[in-house]
Amino acid sequence: MSLKERIEEDLKKGMMEKNEPAVRALRMLKTAIRHAEVEKGNPLSDGDVIAVIRKLIRQRKESIEAFEKGGRNDLAEKEKEEIKVLESYA
């Protein structure tokens, strides 16, 4: 099973279990993968998917810093939840 297939299956599982952080993170990841495939012009390999995941994790970490500086700890916590989900694939 490829990484993209595993992400798709985990998204379905998260939706059935009503796991909001996982569904939110995996939908965002799926969109980022689709966007990268359009840019590249063909399907991504597992290595390319991991690169997309690492980029998203880096973006989330930057967002956490900004939210904490702005006193938005609630939004920072959401980003941290998404990072945990993404890190399970990286």
Side-chain angles (χ1 to χ4, degrees):
M1 176 183 292
S2 74
L3 192 52
K4 284 182 4 181
E5 291 169 341
R6 184 174 150 220
I7 291 166
E8 183 68 35
E9 290 299 315
D10 289 349
L11 175 59
K12 290 177 188 175
K13 181 179 173 187
M15 290 168 70
M16 286 198 280
E17 294 174 354
K18 301 192 187 307
N19 183 347
E20 187 179 329
V23 170
R24 192 174 54 237
L26 293 175
R27 280 185 175 157
M28 176 254 326
L29 174 57
K30 208 172 141 189
T31 301
I33 290 170
R34 199 171 313 125
H35 180 73
E37 286 178 333
V38 169
E39 283 183 356
K40 187 175 179 183
N42 53 16
L44 299 181
S45 68
D46 282 353
D48 294 333
V49 172
I50 290 172
V52 170
I53 293 168
R54 288 183 179 150
K55 178 181 174 185
L56 293 175
I57 290 171
R58 187 172 50 251
Q59 289 173 346
R60 297 288 160 283
K61 288 179 179 179
E62 291 170 2
S63 295
I64 289 169
E65 288 179 29
F67 288 144
E68 288 176 345
K69 285 180 184 175
R72 295 297 310 262
N73 292 330
D74 56 326
L75 295 176
E77 285 303 315
K78 283 185 176 184
E79 297 290 326
K80 289 176 185 175
E81 291 171 348
E82 289 178 8
I83 286 176
K84 287 180 186 176
V85 173
L86 293 172
E87 284 179 338
S88 68
Y89 298 98

